[in-house]
């Protein structure tokens, strides 16, 4: 049990140090603990250690955990591929969706978001390396989708998310993150006020922070290997 608490302490320090070395403030990067395929006990321990944001990538698994843990201090983020027939469940249980990549999905989330829950925070997932195995819009499509989403009620477009191809070299890891940051700059120049770059995981969060990440999504380094 000590392990998750200890991992969290180390990662928070590492995130703060990386941000400061990049000339950023230590609290400008939020840690999203990716709890997919991890037991409830590990999430409860992380919450006791002060962790407040958790990410799940399967709708039913996420809702089961949200319902059972029922901790109002926790903010739940959906980070997986979202099929249109599961939008209602997500709109009713999560506070964030990082993986919007179709206007149809965004429209359904907007229609199905219960008003009393407040706006659903959304990011557009960009398939930065144009991989067939991954979801996400192209760089070219992102701007049009962003412009359409900001018009939808009960959604708040927060920014952009990516899941780049695996690269081991730090400089190579920075490239797709830099392009996502530049796309965020373009959106702001076009009058679309985004404030979030959801980028960086256990193996590439340093490169992501150097390039301006505001949310790093970290699973293995917090919880250990998934079951
Ligand atoms: C699993 C997952 C992560 C976390 O990956 P780790 O390598 O375990 O840190 C981050 N983002 C998404 C979208 C994921 O599915």
């Amino acid at each position: 049990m000590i392990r998750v608490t200890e991992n969290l302490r180390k990662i928070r320090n590492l995130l703060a140090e990386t941000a400061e070395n990049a000339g950023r403030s230590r609290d400008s990067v939020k840690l999203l603990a990716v709890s997919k395929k991890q037991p409830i006990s590990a999430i409860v321990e992380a919450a006791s250690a002060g962790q407040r944001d958790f990410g799940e990538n399967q709708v039913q698994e996420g809702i089961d955990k949200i319902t059972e843990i029922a901790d109002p201090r926790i903010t739940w983020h959906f980070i997986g591929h979202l099929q249109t027939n599961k939008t209602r469940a997500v709109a009713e249980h999560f506070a964030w969706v990082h993986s919007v990549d179709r206007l149809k999905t965004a429209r359904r989330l907007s229609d199905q978001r219960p008003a009393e829950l407040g706006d659903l925070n959304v990011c557009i997932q960009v398939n930065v390396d144009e991989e067939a195995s991954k979801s996400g819009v192209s760089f070219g499509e992102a701007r049009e989708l962003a412009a359409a989403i900001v018009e939808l009620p009960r959604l708040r477009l927060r920014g952009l998310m990516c899941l780049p191809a695996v690269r081991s070299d730090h400089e190579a890891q920075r490239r797709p993150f830099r392009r996502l940051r530049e796309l965020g700059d373009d959106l702001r120049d076009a009058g679309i006020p985004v404030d979030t770059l959801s980028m960086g995981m256990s193996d590439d969060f340093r490169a992501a922070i150097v390039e301006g990440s505001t949310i790093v999504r970290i699973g293995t380094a917090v919880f250990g290997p998934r079951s």
Side-chain angles (χ1 to χ4, degrees):
M1 287 299 263
I2 304 294
R3 197 196 44 161
V4 170
T5 303
E6 179 61 15
N7 289 350
L8 274 171
R9 194 188 58 77
K10 283 189 193 146
I11 290 163
R12 287 192 196 114
N13 285 339
L14 213 51
L15 297 182
E17 188 185 295
T18 309
E20 280 183 345
N21 288 342
R24 305 180 51 193
S25 73
R26 39 191 311 127
D27 55 6
S28 60
V29 184
K30 185 196 281 279
L31 171 60
L32 174 55
V34 176
S35 47
K36 65 184 187 196
K37 297 194 175 66
Q38 299 291 350
I40 300 255
S41 58
I43 301 172
V44 169
E45 186 192 347
S48 306
Q51 179 61 30
R52 293 291 174 261
D53 291 271
F54 292 88
E56 291 285 335
N57 73 335
Q58 299 285 338
V59 176
Q60 196 53 52
E61 178 187 342
I63 291 174
D64 289 347
K65 288 171 173 171
I66 293 169
T67 314
E68 185 166 340
I69 296 170
D71 184 340
R73 298 171 305 176
I74 294 181
T75 300
W76 292 96
H77 300 241
F78 186 76
I79 61 172
H81 177 64
L82 183 52
Q83 293 163 285
T84 46
N85 63 340
K86 300 209 172 137
T87 49
R88 180 178 300 279
V90 168
E92 290 176 350
H93 289 90
F94 287 84
W96 283 70
V97 178
H98 289 233
S99 44
V100 172
D101 64 356
R102 293 172 70 187
L103 185 54
K104 183 176 178 193
T105 309
R107 284 210 181 100
R108 289 175 64 97
L109 289 169
S110 169
D111 289 343
Q112 294 165 344
R113 177 69 168 175
E116 67 273 17
L117 293 184
D119 288 352
L120 179 66
N121 297 290
V122 300
C123 294
I124 293 173
Q125 181 172 353
V126 180
N127 190 351
V128 286
D129 289 307
E130 295 178 18
E131 294 172 279
S133 60
K134 286 183 186 156
S135 335
V137 296
S138 66
F139 279 98
E141 293 162 334
R143 191 163 157 169
E144 198 180 336
L145 181 56
I149 290 176
V150 288
E151 300 300 326
L152 296 174
R154 299 197 198 129
L155 296 189
R156 180 164 168 216
L157 180 67
R158 298 300 298 266
L160 303 167
M161 180 273 229
C162 73
L163 200 61
V166 175
R167 296 174 175 86
S168 50
D169 171 68
H170 178 80
E171 289 306 315
Q173 287 177 348
R174 285 181 58 173
R175 251 174 265 129
F177 295 139
R178 185 179 317 138
R179 291 187 68 202
L180 201 72
R181 168 167 54 82
E182 289 166 354
L183 176 60
D185 295 342
D186 289 347
L187 294 180
R188 273 191 297 276
D189 289 346
I192 299 173
V194 291
D195 63 7
T196 299
L197 292 172
S198 168
M199 57 188 202
M201 324 204 310
S202 293
D203 293 326
D204 58 12
F205 67 83
R206 290 176 187 80
I209 290 172
V210 171
E211 292 298 343
S213 171
T214 64
I215 302 182
V216 289
R217 308 178 311 268
I218 299 188
T220 318
V222 171
F223 295 108
R226 287 179 273 275
S227 54

